[in-house]
Amino acid sequence: MKCDLVVVGGGPGGSMAAKAAAAAGLNVVMLEKRQEIGDPVRCAEGVSKRSLHKMVQPEPEWISSEVKGARLYAPDGNSIVMSEDKSGGEVGYVLERKVFDRGLAMLAAQAGARVMVKTRALGLIKKDGAVCGVSAMRIGEPIQIEAPLVIGADGVESKVGRWAGIDTTLKLDDIESCAQFLVQDASIDDDYTEFFLGNSIAPSGYAWSFPKGRKLANIGLGIQGSRSKPGEAVRLLRQLMKSRFPNGRVVEMVVGGDPCSGPINSAIADGVMLVGDAARQTDPLTGGGILNAMKAGAIAGEVAAKAISAGDFTRKGLQEYEARWKEDIGKTLARSFQLKEFFVKLTDKDINQLIGSLAKEDITKMDLGGMLRVLFRLNPKLLWSLKSLII
Amino acid sequence: MLTVNRYKCCYCGACVGVCPTCALELVETWLEVSTECKECGLCAKICPVGALEVRA
């Protein structure tokens, strides 16, 4: 089989890339190793409403619920509230990823991309050192797909980058080990995403509740890999359930690894572009990755079309992708990485002090930057090392 | 050697992302371990469900 572009991975990044490239006239094949796109889920499903609408017109069935804001709990139980349009990060919509991912794949298919499920990439085909396709296993049968360009959208367990010589291996400091239950409980706040901070709750991470409507919520947590031990994420989640949601009924279980390394220096190689979790474009502070993957995917798809028409598939020919994703999301990712590096070291006493200091401040109208500036003013000694990031 | 408890594994692929020798591969619900495995145990440490174990 021959085509212009192979996209490896049918998540939001892959589908947006396939959609953009197909819409620009390329002959695109998108491979998904699972037999069902979007399932099993590995995500807390929160996205910013405004940012999602900038990317795509969402169908009503993609969205489980809409939240008004976020509430952050300190280890001592004190809390603060941020409103939806200002908290900036991953609140707004709580998606139904199984339907959402499939919906985006449908958009790619409608734009003309060929989607192959239960098809797993095995390696890059190279000729005289240049990428010229992907070898794959399709429903147990080997196939070769010839193409001068490959987009790796193959997630946390990405192989495409490593095959192309881009080292995407995550250090234990740079991955969060996560576990989540879908929970039915009368005590769930349907209107607010909740975050629970503390080293005994989720060491160098946080716990969350993303409400999905009708007293159903994704309740989970992530812990820094270096502070994990076998089975720790699930053990801590059970502990959280016991203390916070003792009457909760668990109807689904989700686990996963969330990259928080900050983006790799270069997401391109000759004939190859990486997008989304594969390029470690996940926000290291929040762990949110859907929108960044979609943005990067759309850019990569456009650049693929340009590269095909120019006939240049080398690193140089793909440089526009590198420049544009860095311009769009690179700076925020770099800042989030520095903030994460700081926040993972905080003691419970520090977190109590920071959240407690906001008790008398009106932060409901502030964005993250504004809140950080207030925090800095109230806690200059504790936050001094972040001075250059905040002011 | 590295053992995978198939009854525990939730096939999330976190282990694949941290493997320094690219020895792990997630095939839908089946985690494959290749001969490249150096038994470093990083995967076992971060496994959210504790499905991996390096045994002497």
Side-chain angles (χ1 to χ4, degrees):
Chain A
M1 185 188 293
K2 274 188 180 178
C3 64
D4 298 317
L5 168 69
V6 179
V7 178
V8 180
S15 286
M16 291 301 282
K19 174 177 173 270
L26 296 196
N27 184 354
V28 181
V29 173
M30 181 168 83
L31 309 182
E32 169 53 53
K33 69 179 175 181
R34 298 168 175 186
Q35 61 191 43
E36 287 177 53
I37 286 174
D39 194 22
V41 171
R42 298 175 186 161
C43 181
E45 304 185 297
V47 288
S48 144
K49 179 180 168 180
R50 205 183 326 142
S51 305
L52 182 68
H53 279 267
K54 275 187 201 160
M55 296 296 307
V56 67
Q57 182 56 49
E59 299 292 338
E61 64 266 27
W62 297 357
I63 294 147
S64 289
S65 76
E66 201 173 330
V67 293
K68 291 178 182 157
R71 193 179 292 118
L72 264 76
Y73 290 91
D76 63 10
N78 282 326
S79 66
I80 53 167
V81 172
M82 297 173 80
S83 66
E84 184 265 316
D85 57 331
K86 299 298 178 193
S87 38
E90 311 311 319
V91 294
Y93 284 145
V94 180
L95 298 170
E96 186 64 31
R97 281 290 302 270
K98 289 170 195 173
V99 183
F100 174 74
D101 285 28
R102 191 176 298 200
L104 291 184
M106 296 275 281
L107 294 181
Q110 279 159 13
R114 177 164 182 186
V115 182
M116 285 187 185
V117 293
K118 211 170 172 71
T119 306
R120 181 170 57 96
L122 301 174
L124 297 173
I125 308 169
K126 289 181 186 173
K127 207 169 168 183
D128 304 325
V131 171
C132 57
V134 171
S135 62
M137 184 76 86
R138 186 182 190 210
I139 322 179
E141 304 289 339
I143 55 164
Q144 306 267 312
I145 307 163
E146 289 175 43
L149 266 181
V150 177
I151 290 179
D154 47 342
V156 67
E157 75 256 45
S158 178
K159 290 278 169 78
V160 173
R162 296 197 205 189
W163 293 332
I166 306 171
D167 183 15
T168 55
T169 313
L170 291 164
K171 299 195 300 272
L172 291 192
D173 276 347
D174 291 333
I175 185 168
E176 292 274 318
S177 175
C178 305
Q180 174 176 283
F181 294 143
L182 180 60
V183 177
Q184 182 90 57
D185 189 346
S187 75
I188 284 163
D189 189 332
D190 284 332
D191 293 324
Y192 285 86
T193 306
E194 296 188 298
F195 298 101
F196 308 98
L197 307 176
N199 285 289
S200 58
I201 297 171
S204 300
Y206 65 85
W208 61 78
S209 167
F210 282 84
K212 300 197 67 163
R214 298 184 186 181
K215 302 296 175 190
L216 196 63
N218 290 328
I219 294 174
L221 55 82
I223 60 177
Q224 195 175 28
S226 47
R227 296 184 70 184
S228 172
K229 56 191 179 195
E232 186 69 353
V234 168
R235 191 189 69 77
L236 286 168
L237 179 55
R238 288 207 177 111
Q239 190 178 295
L240 178 80
M241 289 297 297
K242 216 179 259 178
S243 64
R244 286 269 172 182
F245 306 93
N247 300 313
R249 300 279 185 265
V250 175
V251 290
E252 191 178 87
M253 177 175 176
V254 167
V255 296
D258 207 350
C260 53
S261 56
I264 46 179
N265 287 331
S266 174
I268 55 172
D270 289 339
V272 170
M273 292 181 270
L274 300 181
V275 306
D277 276 12
R280 312 315 186 199
Q281 287 161 338
T282 330
D283 188 294
L285 187 63
T286 66
I290 302 167
L291 295 167
N292 284 348
M294 290 173 72
K295 284 179 190 168
I299 298 169
E302 285 173 33
V303 173
K306 287 186 186 175
I308 293 285
S309 63
D312 184 357
F313 316 114
T314 64
R315 227 178 161 276
K316 195 160 159 274
L318 305 175
Q319 190 59 44
E320 183 187 333
Y321 168 62
E322 190 100 304
R324 283 175 61 191
W325 77 256
K326 285 189 176 177
E327 174 65 31
D328 195 340
I329 58 177
K331 280 173 202 146
T332 307
L333 287 172
R335 188 171 87 142
S336 285
F337 178 72
Q338 282 178 277
L339 290 171
K340 171 215 123 183
E341 289 288 282
F342 178 82
F343 284 112
V344 294
K345 294 188 191 91
L346 292 181
T347 63
D348 282 6
K349 195 168 152 262
D350 297 333
I351 303 169
N352 288 336
Q353 180 190 324
L354 288 174
I355 291 186
S357 74
L358 293 172
K360 293 194 182 85
E361 302 286 324
D362 181 13
I363 58 156
T364 54
K365 299 273 186 297
M366 284 177 201
D367 61 8
L368 183 66
M371 196 171 96
L372 283 170
R373 279 189 292 277
V374 173
L375 277 170
F376 187 78
R377 174 165 57 76
L378 299 169
N379 308 275
K381 208 170 149 193
L382 182 57
L383 298 179
W384 193 253
S385 62
L386 294 178
K387 191 168 183 273
S388 61
L389 280 179
I390 291 171
I391 297 167
Chain B
M1 64 179 287
L2 178 67
T3 60
V4 184
N5 185 332
R6 312 263 168 210
Y7 300 104
K8 280 191 178 180
C9 177
C10 293
Y11 30 92
C12 72
C15 52
V16 183
V18 299
C19 178
T21 60
C22 228
L24 300 173
E25 167 78 352
L26 182 63
V27 187
E28 294 198 73
T29 59
W30 187 265
L31 183 68
E32 279 182 351
V33 184
S34 83
T35 52
E36 298 296 307
C37 176
K38 299 284 184 281
E39 302 175 16
C40 69
L42 293 179
C43 54
K45 192 168 153 65
I46 60 118
C47 178
V49 292
L52 299 168
E53 194 186 343
V54 178
R55 285 189 198 157

